[in-house]
Amino acid sequence: MARFNRLLITGAAGNLGGHLRKELAPLATHLRLSDINDMGEAAPNEEIFQGDVADADLMMGITKDVDMVIHLGGQANEHTWETVLNANIIGFYNMYEGCRKNGVKRVLWGSSNHAIGFYPREQVIDASVYPRPDTNYGVTKVFGEGLAQYYWDKYGLETVSIRIGSCFPKPLDRRMLTTWLSYPDLTHLVERCLIAPRVAHTVIYGVSDNDAKLWDNHMAAHIGFRPKDNAEVFRAEMEAASPEPDPNDAFVALHGGKFASAPHYED
Ligand code: 15L
């Protein structure tokens, strides 16, 4: 039996949004989906709205009659300032204003490890650390976490900000032995964020139970996230695929990897 009347997934045409579209269907009577890109045919339980998160009217409309929002819409990697500004700052604000005015109870959204990408590898961090973004993209995620805290403190709108590591079917390189989040662990994490009785504004790291993980989730124990996968099973494969890296290379030295070492996007 569905727990929710209607859930909204933004960014539903993306890899993670597409995965959750399938996985979360049993939890809600209606799934509302939005994306700037084509999402294909709507299933009988689905409502589809194609458009841009930077369109305030669209965001106001699609957040009506929604219990909770899973917000994955926006720009998911470093890009021009104009792109990340529209997608991740203006679009994010539009989404929260829609949620506030339409009385949405809770938002879960894809923040990113790039909000803290400049922490050095020898430092294990929890959710209490000061942000150290590694890109303009990472700065927009810090903005998002700030806005989420503000909407909880001022308006009582709950949020789980999920600092997603590297969510792929399997790790793609040596760094992801540390940062990998498997698809099954993502599903479990999102389900827990939806059904936990009270979350206020929680910051949680989206990372599997990797032997090499550098992120500590003890401050989000109330979510009940118990990841099962471990990137260590891919170690031999990842090490064989690329030579031993220079330990001083930012790719190795910093949590954000190549996001931290890349030059300014528009130079
Ligand atoms: C992210 O924030 C990106 O959305 C994703 O594509 C990965 O590159 C990931 O970070 C990562 O750090 O591996």
Side-chain angles (χ1 to χ4, degrees):
M1 160 99 178
R3 277 175 175 262
F4 300 97
N5 178 39
R6 183 175 285 102
L7 293 175
L8 165 64
I9 304 176
T10 69
N15 292 338
L16 307 194
H19 171 74
L20 292 173
R21 175 181 182 176
K22 283 184 257 137
E23 297 286 303
L24 300 184
L27 282 186
T29 310
H30 307 283
L31 264 193
R32 183 173 289 167
L33 309 171
S34 82
D35 203 293
I36 199 165
N37 295 315
D38 180 43
M39 288 159 279
E41 289 289 302
N45 65 326
E46 290 178 342
E47 305 158 348
I48 286 193
F49 292 84
Q50 189 170 356
D52 190 344
V53 289
D55 175 347
D57 292 339
L58 173 81
M59 297 313 282
M60 193 56 68
I62 65 174
T63 47
K64 272 200 182 85
D65 301 320
V66 164
D67 301 322
M68 295 191 187
V69 175
I70 299 103
H71 180 67
L72 300 166
Q75 173 61 30
N77 278 296
E78 182 63 318
H79 211 281
T80 61
W81 174 243
E82 197 188 347
T83 299
V84 296
L85 173 68
N86 283 315
N88 294 3
I89 293 190
I90 295 171
F92 201 75
Y93 177 77
N94 291 342
M95 191 268 297
Y96 266 86
E97 273 298 275
C99 289
R100 180 178 74 84
K101 291 202 169 139
N102 288 315
V104 171
K105 178 174 165 39
R106 187 177 295 176
V107 173
L108 337 176
W109 73 285
S111 183
S112 170
N113 73 89
H114 298 291
I116 49 80
F118 259 103
Y119 276 92
R121 189 176 175 79
E122 56 277 16
Q123 189 174 350
V124 172
I125 59 172
D126 64 19
S128 68
V129 296
Y130 199 77
R132 291 179 75 175
D134 57 21
T135 38
N136 287 337
Y137 163 70
V139 171
T140 68
K141 297 299 183 177
V142 176
F143 167 83
E145 293 182 7
L147 199 77
Q149 186 65 47
Y150 168 61
Y151 272 72
W152 166 246
D153 287 336
K154 193 146 190 173
Y155 308 115
L157 170 49
E158 290 190 308
T159 296
V160 185
S161 295
I162 307 175
R163 288 183 182 164
I164 300 175
S166 307
C167 193
F168 295 98
K170 58 185 254 192
L172 303 177
D173 56 32
R174 288 177 186 243
R175 169 177 170 271
M176 293 188 191
L177 296 172
T178 298
T179 59
W180 186 54
L181 173 66
S182 73
Y183 275 26
D185 284 342
L186 170 72
T187 303
H188 161 64
L189 172 55
V190 169
E191 283 174 357
R192 289 304 315 166
C193 293
L194 290 168
I195 67 182
R198 181 186 158 92
V199 301
H201 174 221
T202 299
V203 173
I204 189 166
Y205 292 93
V207 65
S208 282
D209 191 24
N210 308 327
D211 286 2
K213 67 178 181 292
L214 300 174
W215 304 323
D216 176 344
N217 270 331
H218 76 278
M219 294 179 72
H222 53 284
I223 301 290
F225 174 44
R226 307 259 181 281
K228 290 200 171 64
D229 291 314
N230 187 338
E232 206 56 26
V233 299
F234 298 101
R235 179 170 290 280
E237 188 187 334
M238 292 302 115
E239 290 186 351
S242 61
E244 181 86 26
D246 175 349
N248 297 317
D249 187 330
F251 180 73
V252 176
L254 301 170
H255 288 213
K258 66 175 189 258
F259 282 63
S261 59
H264 190 273
Y265 190 85
E266 287 168 269
D267 282 353

